[in-house]
Amino acid sequence: MPYIVDFTTVSTVGLESSPVADALAGLRANEARYFKNKYDHVFTVEPASEAQATVDWVHRILKEERDIVISSRPLEATAFQVENIRWAYVFYESGLSINVLYTVDDLGKRAVGFKLSDGMEVPAELAERFKFARQKSKLAGTIRGSYFTIKNEY
């Protein structure tokens, strides 16, 4: 069942099993606010089990680009296109959020972004490979983020 993420009233719906559910909900709301303000796009997620193609696409890029396998269980996912950019998000039980920005144009930007919810440890599969910068968010507290550029076609 799709869920429209409300960034004015942050809810843990769909994220209750996460040990950092409140922070992950704030992170998800932060993303929803960004897309509403920048693109006038309503950020909608669905259970990962109902968005398996999106989860598989993100996991394929992680595996093929950097040999990364995420150990945490995916809770929710979404995929959409705004302007000429294809976006995919997966929110994990650990508090991790992974997004793929994939410009449809051949010479556009293509990257994978990682965001860590406030209060979670850096996952072991990412700890040795990435440095995480901090940013403050009214909705999510302190978000730690990192990214890498996608080299291949997906």
Side-chain angles (χ1 to χ4, degrees), residues 1 7 17 20 29-30 46 49 60-62 67-69 80 87 101 112-113 116 120-121 123 137 139 148 152 154:
M1 180 98 183
F7 56 86
S17 66
V20 291
N30 189 64
E46 58 188 336
S49 60
R60 176 179 164 224
I61 293 170
L62 291 171
D67 197 30
I68 295 171
V69 176
F80 54 91
W87 292 90
L101 173 159
V112 173
L116 309 177
M120 73 171 285
E121 296 296 320
S137 163
L139 293 171
F148 68 85
N152 297 308
Y154 296 94

Side-chain angles (χ1 to χ4, degrees), residues 40-108:
D40 197 30
H41 173 79
V42 176
F43 196 80
T44 305
V45 295
E46 58 188 336
S49 60
E50 296 175 21
Q52 196 59 53
T54 299
V55 173
D56 290 347
W57 187 64
V58 171
H59 287 177
R60 176 179 164 224
I61 293 170
L62 291 171
K63 180 68 175 160
E64 292 180 12
E65 291 283 325
R66 296 289 180 103
D67 197 30
I68 295 171
V69 176
I70 302 299
S71 61
S72 183
R73 181 171 71 100
L75 296 178
E76 292 184 331
T78 187
F80 54 91
Q81 184 169 327
V82 288
E83 298 177 1
N84 67 333
I85 304 170
R86 180 178 174 192
W87 292 90
Y89 275 81
V90 181
F91 296 91
Y92 294 87
E93 192 168 42
S94 65
L96 173 67
S97 169
I98 297 178
N99 71 73
V100 173
L101 173 159
Y102 196 88
T103 305
V104 178
D105 303 334
D106 286 340
L107 300 175

